[in-house]
Amino acid sequence: MSNRRDFLKTTLLATSALALPNVSRSAASLSGSVPGGAGARVVSTWDFGVPANQAAWAVLGKGGKPLDAVEAGAQIPESDLSNHSVGRAGYPDRDGKVTLDASIMDGDGRCGAVAALEHIGHPIKVARKVMEDTPHVLLVGDGALEFALQQGFTRENLLTPESEKAWHEWLKQAKYKPVANSENLDYHRSLPAPGMPGGKNNHDTIGMLAVDANGRLAGACTTSGMAWKLHGRVGDSPIIGAGLYVDNEVGGATSTGVGEEVIRNAGSFLVVELMRQGRSPQEACEEAVRRIVKKHPDGAKEIQVGFLALRRDGECGAYAIQKGFTYAVCDVRKQDLLLASPSVYQTTFT
Ligand code: ASP
C-alpha cells in the first residue's frame, strides 16, 4: 500500500494494450469502464488487487470455479504482513485487538460472512465455511471464532510488532477519525493522519469479483476495517448487499471506503440493481456514489467510498468520491493491469 502511487505510475505506463479510463478534471466526461466480451475476468480493489487477481487467475484461467478463484485471490492480501488493512497484520481497533470482517458470495445467491473475527488469519476461508457448512449467512465475534476453531482453523496472534507500534503511536492522541483512502485528503491534510506516519489512510479493503467464460460469477471481500475503530464495530465488507453482492443474472459489485456510508445506502446491491435496470457497470457505480454524496451537505469532501462492478459479460467499471482509488483487472490478455478509477473530485484541494 505504501507504494501505491509509484506502482500505479509504472503499471499504468505498461497498459496501453487496453483502453484506459479517461481520467480528466471534468467529472462529466469521465469513463472508467473496461469493455467485456473476452471471457473470464477477475477484478479487485486497490494495488494489492494485482497479485490477488493473479492468484485468482491461477484457478479461473484453468477453467476453475469463480468461487474458488476469489477465495484463493483474497487470501493473498490476507497473508501479506506489509498490508495493514486486510487479514494478518491489520491495524487493530482502539483496544489493540485485530478484528476482521469478510464475506463471500456465489452468483447463485449462496453467501457466507464473518464479522469482528479475532485470531484467524484467513477470514475469507471461514466465511466460505459459514456459507457451505451452516444454515446461516453471518457469524460474529466469539461465535465466529468458536466456529472457526471447530472447523480446524488455527488460533493466531494477528497483531504484528509493526501494527502494535502504530497503535501505540495512535494512543498518544487517541483521536479517531477515518481518513479516507484518497490522494486528495492525504494531500489536503499534509499532516500525518492519527497514528499514520506520512498521512496515510487508515482503511482499505480487498473486494474481488470473478466471472467465468459462461457468465457465472462470484465475489469476495475481506478487511481489518477502520483502524482504531470502536471494539465491535462492523463495516460494510461482511454485510451482503453493502460491501459485496453478486447475481449470475446480472453481475457483481463490491466496495471500499467508509463502510457506514456503504451500509446506509445498501451500496453493492444498489450497483447490481442499477445494472439490472440497464445501466452499464460504470454508470451504476457513478450513480451509487452520487447517492452517497447527495446526502452530505458538504458534498462528502471528507470521506472516501469507491465501488467496483463487473457485469456477467466481463465489462467492468469503477467510481469513487475521491481521487486515488485504484483497481486491478485480470484476464487472458493481461494479468497485471492496474487502473485509476475516475472520481467525483478529480482536483487536489489546496
Ligand atoms: N470498507 C471498509 C470498512 O469500512 C474499510 C475500507 O475499505 O477502507 O470497514
Side-chain angles (χ1 to χ4, degrees), residues 78 87-88 91 93 97-103 113-130 138-149 153-156 158 222-225 229 231-235 238:
E78 283 184 341
R88 296 187 179 107
Y91 281 142
D93 63 21
K97 294 175 175 155
V98 180
T99 67
L100 304 177
D101 293 344
S103 62
V114 286
L117 173 64
E118 291 182 63
H119 307 301
I120 304 291
H122 285 304
I124 199 66
K125 291 176 76 171
V126 187
R128 181 155 180 188
K129 289 275 181 201
V130 172
L138 173 62
L139 294 181
V140 305
D142 289 347
L145 175 59
E146 206 175 292
F147 170 74
L149 295 174
F153 287 85
T154 310
R155 188 185 177 104
E156 313 172 31
L158 303 177
T222 173
T223 187
S224 53
K229 61 195 173 187
H231 184 61
R233 180 264 185 188
V234 171

Side-chain angles (χ1 to χ4, degrees), residues 31-344:
S31 161
S33 61
V34 180
R41 179 172 269 175
V42 190
V43 298
S44 57
T45 54
W46 300 114
D47 305 22
F48 46 59
V50 172
N53 279 357
Q54 288 165 349
W57 190 252
V59 177
L60 196 70
K62 285 196 208 112
K65 284 193 205 141
L67 190 68
D68 294 332
V70 296
E71 186 189 15
Q75 287 177 59
I76 300 301
E78 283 184 341
S79 296
D80 179 358
L81 298 186
S82 67
N83 180 332
H84 297 297
S85 59
V86 181
R88 296 187 179 107
Y91 281 142
D93 63 21
R94 67 173 193 173
D95 300 342
K97 294 175 175 155
V98 180
T99 67
L100 304 177
D101 293 344
S103 62
I104 194 160
M105 186 163 191
D106 197 69
D108 64 8
R110 292 177 307 140
C111 50
V114 286
L117 173 64
E118 291 182 63
H119 307 301
I120 304 291
H122 285 304
I124 199 66
K125 291 176 76 171
V126 187
R128 181 155 180 188
K129 289 275 181 201
V130 172
M131 170 178 137
E132 288 179 340
D133 295 350
T134 80
H136 308 305
V137 167
L138 173 62
L139 294 181
V140 305
D142 289 347
L145 175 59
E146 206 175 292
F147 170 74
L149 295 174
Q150 278 164 7
Q151 291 286 325
F153 287 85
T154 310
R155 188 185 177 104
E156 313 172 31
N157 175 18
L158 303 177
L159 187 66
T160 59
E162 206 186 334
S163 298
E164 193 170 5
K165 196 167 154 224
W167 173 57
H168 283 294
E169 271 303 306
W170 174 78
L171 279 177
K172 288 180 188 163
Q173 289 190 353
K175 212 161 58 184
Y176 177 69
K177 172 132 181 139
V179 178
N181 34 28
S182 87
E183 288 177 12
N184 281 347
L185 300 183
D186 289 352
Y187 177 87
H188 181 49
R189 287 196 168 80
S190 71
L191 292 168
M196 296 287 162
K200 294 202 193 82
N201 68 76
N202 59 6
H203 53 94
D204 274 343
T205 294
I206 180 137
M208 174 178 277
L209 305 162
V211 63
D212 70 12
N214 299 311
R216 280 187 296 253
L217 294 121
C221 189
T222 173
T223 187
S224 53
M226 304 271 200
W228 336 132
K229 61 195 173 187
L230 284 182
H231 184 61
R233 180 264 185 188
V234 171
D236 56 321
S237 308
I239 308 298
I240 298 297
L244 179 68
Y245 196 74
V246 185
D247 184 337
N248 277 341
E249 283 185 1
V250 183
T254 188
S255 62
T256 182
V258 179
E260 284 75 3
E261 298 295 332
V262 179
I263 295 172
R264 283 183 192 115
N265 291 277
S268 292
F269 181 73
L270 175 61
V271 171
V272 172
E273 288 310 296
L274 288 165
M275 288 196 289
R276 194 190 305 275
Q277 289 163 22
R279 309 268 184 118
S280 69
Q282 183 59 35
E283 290 164 348
C285 290
E286 290 179 15
E287 175 60 20
V289 164
R290 256 184 242 119
R291 298 260 180 114
I292 293 173
V293 170
K294 231 166 54 187
K295 289 180 182 160
H296 285 262
D298 75 341
K301 288 208 170 71
E302 290 286 319
I303 56 167
Q304 173 66 310
V305 169
F307 288 105
L308 176 60
L310 178 66
R311 206 168 53 195
R312 65 188 304 276
D313 68 354
E315 179 160 330
C316 59
Y319 201 63
I321 301 176
Q322 311 289 340
K323 185 178 172 182
F325 174 40
T326 58
Y327 66 104
V329 179
C330 170
D331 58 26
V332 72
R333 288 166 295 179
K334 191 152 179 59
Q335 285 90 54
D336 62 353
L337 181 60
L338 183 69
L339 299 172
S341 165
S343 52
V344 176

